[in-house]
Each structure stands twice: as C-alpha cells, then as structure tokens.
Amino acid sequence: MIYGFIWRGFRFGALLQIAVGPVCLFIFQTAASSGFFAAIAAVLAVTLADSLCVAAALLGAGTIIEKNKQARSIFRYFGAAVIILFGISSILGAFGVNILPGIGGMTETSSESAFVNALLLTLSSPLTIVFWAGIFSAKAASGQMDRSQVSYFAFGAILSTLVFMSMTAAAGVFTGSFLPRSLITALNVSVGAVLVFFGIRTAFSG
C-alpha cells in the first residue's frame, strides 16, 4: 500500500520533469562541461533543495507565503535575480570572465562548486513551496490521502527528481565526451541566455 502512494508521487514528479527548466539546463551544462562527479554533486544538491521545499510545504510554510502578497513578490524577484545572475555568469564565463565561481568557465567546475551553485539555483524559486503546498492540500482535502500517505506521495515525487536529474546528468556527460570545446562554449552561452530568459519571465509572471 505504501509503495502505491510512493509510485503515484513518482509518476506525478516525473510528469513535472517533462517541463525542462533552468535547473535541468544547469545540470546538463555542468555535466557536459565538468564531467560526472560535478554533475552528480549538482544532482544531489537539487534533490536536497527539493526535499527542503517539500518538507516546508508539508509543515505549512506554503500557506503562509501564499497568503502574504508582499512575501510572494519578494521571493519572486529574488528568485528572478538569482536566475538572471547565473545566466549572465554562464555567458561571461564561456569567454573566461567569471563573476560566479564554477559557472560557465573555461576550466572544470569542482564538485563542491557544482553542489553549492545547484543548491542556490534550486532554492532561488521558493514559490515552489506554494506549489507543493497546493498539491498536498488538494490531495488531503479530496479524501484521497491522509497525512502519512501524503508524505509517501511527497517522497515519491522527490525520488523522481533524483532519477530524472541523474538521467539528465548522464546525457550531459555523454554529450560532453565528444563535443569539441568550441561547442561546449556555445552550449554555455546558450544555457546562459535561456537562464536570463527564465529569470525575466519569473520577474514578470506575478
């Protein structure tokens, strides 16, 4: 029975992963540019950040944020600024100008830098907490799940993040193993441009 709720959460999380976002692009870029260990460190950071967001949602933080418009605005603009900063750093780093360590540079990113950067990028969108709070509240209110079953569902969703991001990292490592340096540079610039776009869209999405 427990596994059934975990599986439902995993399927729901996998569905969400189809929509490629800035974190997924960052994982792919890190894997292609810096290899397996840096990519896995980034994947673990993303999983940890998602776990923190889900835990906060289960504890009710999402409801507090949702009811406070000022807090939502602060979080939205803060998240947008972080994503844009990462994007600009990726673009400049491709040309040897590093404003954030380990992002888009011409040298390989260390596992420690990849972990910290992925953690910060994932946590730059704390409104994720509001989303998960809404999902969990809907599940509980519908009578489909009690509190413990919602927790199993949440665990399944987090597990899907770990699996999907690991697959993304593997794809990035495989791609980076045969791409010439010039194309890796082009990839860093492209990912940076997309991150800037995501950041601008986030700022004006509210």
Side-chain angles (χ1 to χ4, degrees), residues 66-143:
E66 187 177 19
K67 291 181 178 180
N68 191 321
K69 289 185 177 181
Q70 185 176 6
R72 286 206 310 274
S73 295
I74 291 173
F75 283 136
R76 186 175 74 251
Y77 290 125
F78 172 77
V82 171
I83 295 172
I84 291 172
L85 179 62
F86 270 67
I88 293 173
S89 179
S90 181
I91 294 170
L92 295 180
F95 301 101
V97 181
N98 296 316
I99 59 175
L100 290 176
I103 298 180
M106 298 303 290
T107 58
E108 288 192 359
T109 302
S110 68
S111 297
E112 292 81 4
S113 293
F115 183 92
V116 172
N117 290 334
L119 187 67
L120 290 175
L121 183 59
T122 308
L123 291 177
S124 69
S125 300
L127 290 181
T128 303
I129 300 172
V130 176
F131 168 78
W132 283 115
I135 295 298
F136 299 149
S137 297
K139 294 292 183 183
S142 66

Side-chain angles (χ1 to χ4, degrees), residues 126-206:
L127 290 181
T128 303
I129 300 172
V130 176
F131 168 78
W132 283 115
I135 295 298
F136 299 149
S137 297
K139 294 292 183 183
S142 66
Q144 297 177 359
M145 303 178 188
D146 58 28
R147 187 173 182 81
S148 62
Q149 291 166 343
V150 168
S151 299
Y152 298 138
F153 179 90
F155 176 77
I158 293 170
L159 187 60
S160 73
T161 296
L162 178 62
V163 171
F164 182 84
M165 290 300 173
S166 296
M167 292 171 60
T168 301
V173 171
F174 176 75
T175 301
S177 65
F178 62 83
L179 285 180
R181 192 65 202 181
S182 59
L183 287 182
I184 294 293
T185 299
L187 174 65
N188 288 338
V189 173
S190 299
V191 170
V194 173
L195 288 176
V196 171
F197 168 76
F198 270 116
I200 294 173
R201 190 178 70 173
T202 298
F204 293 98
S205 63

